[in-house]
Amino acid sequence: MFKKAYILADGVPEMQSQKMCLFNLGAAYIAMGKPKKGLKCLLKCKSKGAVEKDGDFYFNIAAAYDEMKEYSKAVKFYQRAINEYRPSETQSISDALIKLGYCSVNVGDLPSAARSFRLASHSYQKAEKTEDAAMAMREAASYMIRSQRFSKAEVLETLTECAQQCSGITNQDLLGKLYNHIGLHYAEMMCFHQAGKYFIKAMQICSGANFSVRKRAVLLQNLGAIYNALCQYENSLRYHGEAAHLYGALRERNAQGQSLCNLAYAYSQLKNYDMAEYYYQEALNAFVDVGDLYGQQQVCEGLGATSFCLGDLDQAISYYKQALTLFGKSKVLFVCTVCLVMHTEHRDFFLLSIRK
């Protein structure tokens, strides 16, 4: 229809109609995954004279380069679009900032991405788009942590803002996801009490009509991991056990293995080595079933230490040799790991998994 409109407009003396039809045709091509055709239309449109809405023009140029994976050029034109938009065009500015953020990620500029997402969040707030504001602020926190260029205080301030924005969200499914993500980021910052608080909030939402077995399993695993990190092993046992049971019902053997491994570690810290050995064996079976060499390596280390504590030195040596062999096969060594979803922190010897 836009193509037909442009052909008809070509016979009209009034240039603005031609430009409008050509602009819309270009935007339509980009939207349907034909960025080169779209870009050609937009540049032809510009060659016919000034475009009425330069902000939208540059946004579409950027979108075309974005679609073509020419992210450096896309960054340049998203920035131009943002500068061209009027301050009152908050929705357009917000959307461009989000696009700019992800293009910055693709060119490896994580600090700029974090700043773009943070600005987008503030812009969405002005537009009274609470859900979008909270999600953008969550992305800002994520890339602030990943870039390692921001202070702990700056990251925590961003997480606090994100949590405040969540108070205005009524979509329970989204709210549960955001609380879980906030908990993850607090865990990455080693703020385990705060992490536990938001995992519990998410757990409270994951009930009744909003109940999802897998979401509950993830939250149980996260809460158990937090109690392990806080050395509150008695409290962690129930969460690890229930998470392992739910993952088993879902036939997610790898996740079940992680929970069983966490459970075994908690028992080992309570000096209940017989139970620790039992659950490490169960975890090993799960990791063998899915071919997870890294998981098997971690469990063999746990079994080695447990056998040592039980006084069986020959068995301990055997398990440590198995761990070394598995290390050679997997080429991955995270000895004594606290495993978060996006980062790891080395600490004594246990696998503590925090999941999205």
Tab-separated table of all heavy atoms in Angstrom, residues 124-148:
chain	number	residue	atom	x	y	z
A	124	TYR	N	11.087	7.055	30.555
A	124	TYR	CA	9.834	6.297	30.644
A	124	TYR	C	9.013	6.747	31.867
A	124	TYR	O	7.782	6.755	31.826
A	124	TYR	CB	10.113	4.809	30.732
A	124	TYR	CG	10.371	4.125	29.411
A	124	TYR	CD1	11.493	3.307	29.233
A	124	TYR	CD2	9.489	4.267	28.341
A	124	TYR	CE1	11.731	2.664	28.018
A	124	TYR	CE2	9.720	3.625	27.124
A	124	TYR	CZ	10.843	2.837	26.971
A	124	TYR	OH	11.073	2.204	25.783
A	125	GLN	N	9.709	7.082	32.945
A	125	GLN	CA	8.997	7.563	34.135
A	125	GLN	C	8.230	8.845	33.817
A	125	GLN	O	7.090	9.017	34.247
A	125	GLN	CB	9.993	7.818	35.269
A	125	GLN	CG	10.415	6.566	36.023
A	125	GLN	CD	11.343	6.890	37.180
A	125	GLN	OE1	12.510	7.196	36.988
A	125	GLN	NE2	10.817	6.848	38.380
A	126	LYS	N	8.863	9.738	33.061
A	126	LYS	CA	8.189	10.980	32.677
A	126	LYS	C	6.960	10.689	31.822
A	126	LYS	O	5.958	11.393	31.889
A	126	LYS	CB	9.154	11.880	31.904
A	126	LYS	CG	10.263	12.479	32.750
A	126	LYS	CD	11.185	13.327	31.888
A	126	LYS	CE	12.354	13.874	32.697
A	126	LYS	NZ	13.298	14.634	31.840
A	127	ALA	N	7.063	9.639	31.006
A	127	ALA	CA	5.944	9.250	30.146
A	127	ALA	C	4.930	8.375	30.888
A	127	ALA	O	3.957	7.914	30.291
A	127	ALA	CB	6.469	8.495	28.921
A	128	GLU	N	5.162	8.169	32.185
A	128	GLU	CA	4.301	7.344	33.054
A	128	GLU	C	4.201	5.906	32.547
A	128	GLU	O	3.149	5.276	32.609
A	128	GLU	CB	2.913	7.984	33.197
A	128	GLU	CG	2.974	9.367	33.855
A	128	GLU	CD	1.601	9.974	34.063
A	128	GLU	OE1	0.614	9.430	33.517
A	128	GLU	OE2	1.508	10.985	34.777
A	129	LYS	N	5.303	5.394	32.039
A	129	LYS	CA	5.409	3.990	31.608
A	129	LYS	C	6.192	3.243	32.690
A	129	LYS	O	7.401	2.977	32.543
A	129	LYS	CB	6.119	3.893	30.258
A	129	LYS	CG	5.414	4.621	29.121
A	129	LYS	CD	4.273	3.793	28.580
A	129	LYS	CE	3.654	4.423	27.349
A	129	LYS	NZ	2.573	3.615	26.778
A	130	THR	N	5.507	2.918	33.776
A	130	THR	CA	6.171	2.364	34.949
A	130	THR	C	6.868	1.031	34.669
A	130	THR	O	8.001	0.810	35.109
A	130	THR	CB	5.149	2.173	36.090
A	130	THR	OG1	4.485	3.415	36.326
A	130	THR	CG2	5.842	1.738	37.368
A	131	GLU	N	6.192	0.137	33.957
A	131	GLU	CA	6.779	-1.171	33.673
A	131	GLU	C	8.046	-1.032	32.843
A	131	GLU	O	9.081	-1.654	33.145
A	131	GLU	CB	5.766	-2.062	32.954
A	131	GLU	CG	4.574	-2.453	33.821
A	131	GLU	CD	3.620	-3.393	33.090
A	131	GLU	OE1	3.895	-3.742	31.916
A	131	GLU	OE2	2.608	-3.790	33.689
A	132	ASP	N	7.972	-0.204	31.791
A	132	ASP	CA	9.141	-0.002	30.939
A	132	ASP	C	10.275	0.652	31.724
A	132	ASP	O	11.456	0.326	31.520
A	132	ASP	CB	8.775	0.866	29.733
A	132	ASP	CG	7.847	0.142	28.766
A	132	ASP	OD1	7.912	-1.095	28.703
A	132	ASP	OD2	7.053	0.823	28.098
A	133	ALA	N	9.918	1.585	32.609
A	133	ALA	CA	10.934	2.266	33.418
A	133	ALA	C	11.677	1.281	34.308
A	133	ALA	O	12.906	1.315	34.415
A	133	ALA	CB	10.284	3.362	34.265
A	134	ALA	N	10.931	0.387	34.948
A	134	ALA	CA	11.548	-0.596	35.843
A	134	ALA	C	12.440	-1.569	35.072
A	134	ALA	O	13.545	-1.900	35.514
A	134	ALA	CB	10.474	-1.365	36.607
A	135	MET	N	11.973	-2.034	33.900
A	135	MET	CA	12.773	-2.970	33.111
A	135	MET	C	14.055	-2.315	32.600
A	135	MET	O	15.120	-2.938	32.577
A	135	MET	CB	11.948	-3.518	31.949
A	135	MET	CG	10.868	-4.501	32.382
A	135	MET	SD	10.049	-5.341	31.006
A	135	MET	CE	9.066	-4.011	30.316
A	136	ALA	N	13.957	-1.029	32.204
A	136	ALA	CA	15.148	-0.318	31.732
A	136	ALA	C	16.147	-0.123	32.869
A	136	ALA	O	17.360	-0.273	32.680
A	136	ALA	CB	14.748	1.034	31.138
A	137	MET	N	15.653	0.192	34.056
A	137	MET	CA	16.538	0.384	35.199
A	137	MET	C	17.200	-0.935	35.592
A	137	MET	O	18.368	-0.973	35.999
A	137	MET	CB	15.766	0.966	36.382
A	137	MET	CG	16.662	1.506	37.501
A	137	MET	SD	17.703	2.892	36.986
A	137	MET	CE	16.520	4.246	37.010
A	138	ARG	N	16.459	-2.043	35.445
A	138	ARG	CA	17.039	-3.362	35.724
A	138	ARG	C	18.184	-3.651	34.748
A	138	ARG	O	19.249	-4.156	35.125
A	138	ARG	CB	15.947	-4.429	35.591
A	138	ARG	CG	16.184	-5.707	36.387
A	138	ARG	CD	17.218	-6.615	35.838
A	138	ARG	NE	16.999	-6.988	34.443
A	138	ARG	CZ	17.810	-7.778	33.763
A	138	ARG	NH1	18.881	-8.275	34.324
A	138	ARG	NH2	17.574	-8.052	32.493
A	139	GLU	N	17.973	-3.311	33.470
A	139	GLU	CA	19.034	-3.482	32.476
A	139	GLU	C	20.238	-2.603	32.816
A	139	GLU	O	21.389	-3.027	32.660
A	139	GLU	CB	18.529	-3.138	31.071
A	139	GLU	CG	17.557	-4.149	30.487
A	139	GLU	CD	18.241	-5.449	30.097
A	139	GLU	OE1	18.483	-6.277	31.009
A	139	GLU	OE2	18.539	-5.648	28.918
A	140	ALA	N	19.967	-1.383	33.275
A	140	ALA	CA	21.063	-0.488	33.660
A	140	ALA	C	21.914	-1.121	34.753
A	140	ALA	O	23.148	-1.136	34.669
A	140	ALA	CB	20.501	0.854	34.131
A	141	ALA	N	21.268	-1.679	35.774
A	141	ALA	CA	22.001	-2.322	36.868
A	141	ALA	C	22.820	-3.497	36.359
A	141	ALA	O	23.982	-3.684	36.736
A	141	ALA	CB	21.023	-2.784	37.946
A	142	SER	N	22.216	-4.285	35.481
A	142	SER	CA	22.897	-5.462	34.937
A	142	SER	C	24.182	-5.078	34.220
A	142	SER	O	25.244	-5.670	34.462
A	142	SER	CB	21.958	-6.202	33.974
A	142	SER	OG	22.622	-7.285	33.353
A	143	TYR	N	24.112	-4.063	33.351
A	143	TYR	CA	25.300	-3.694	32.578
A	143	TYR	C	26.282	-2.865	33.392
A	143	TYR	O	27.487	-2.855	33.083
A	143	TYR	CB	24.890	-2.998	31.278
A	143	TYR	CG	24.299	-3.992	30.308
A	143	TYR	CD1	22.929	-4.051	30.063
A	143	TYR	CD2	25.114	-4.928	29.670
A	143	TYR	CE1	22.391	-4.992	29.198
A	143	TYR	CE2	24.580	-5.870	28.799
A	143	TYR	CZ	23.223	-5.900	28.579
A	143	TYR	OH	22.698	-6.854	27.725
A	144	MET	N	25.827	-2.203	34.427
A	144	MET	CA	26.755	-1.551	35.348
A	144	MET	C	27.640	-2.593	36.025
A	144	MET	O	28.861	-2.425	36.146
A	144	MET	CB	25.980	-0.747	36.404
A	144	MET	CG	25.338	0.517	35.868
A	144	MET	SD	24.238	1.330	37.065
A	144	MET	CE	25.445	2.224	38.030
A	145	ILE	N	27.018	-3.695	36.442
A	145	ILE	CA	27.769	-4.769	37.095
A	145	ILE	C	28.715	-5.437	36.105
A	145	ILE	O	29.896	-5.661	36.399
A	145	ILE	CB	26.805	-5.806	37.705
A	145	ILE	CG1	26.003	-5.171	38.856
A	145	ILE	CG2	27.575	-7.026	38.217
A	145	ILE	CD1	24.832	-6.021	39.331
A	146	ARG	N	28.209	-5.726	34.908
A	146	ARG	CA	29.024	-6.428	33.919
A	146	ARG	C	30.199	-5.592	33.433
A	146	ARG	O	31.264	-6.127	33.113
A	146	ARG	CB	28.153	-6.855	32.740
A	146	ARG	CG	27.205	-7.998	33.072
A	146	ARG	CD	26.200	-8.266	31.976
A	146	ARG	NE	26.827	-8.674	30.733
A	146	ARG	CZ	26.152	-8.977	29.625
A	146	ARG	NH1	24.826	-8.896	29.620
A	146	ARG	NH2	26.785	-9.337	28.536
A	147	SER	N	30.025	-4.282	33.365
A	147	SER	CA	31.110	-3.419	32.874
A	147	SER	C	32.237	-3.267	33.889
A	147	SER	O	33.371	-2.989	33.522
A	147	SER	CB	30.561	-2.036	32.514
A	147	SER	OG	30.248	-1.302	33.694
A	148	GLN	N	31.907	-3.428	35.175
A	148	GLN	CA	32.888	-3.263	36.263
A	148	GLN	C	33.527	-1.872	36.245
A	148	GLN	O	34.670	-1.696	36.661
A	148	GLN	CB	33.964	-4.347	36.194
A	148	GLN	CG	33.409	-5.759	36.345
A	148	GLN	CD	34.480	-6.824	36.355
A	148	GLN	OE1	35.575	-6.642	35.820
A	148	GLN	NE2	34.197	-7.952	36.972
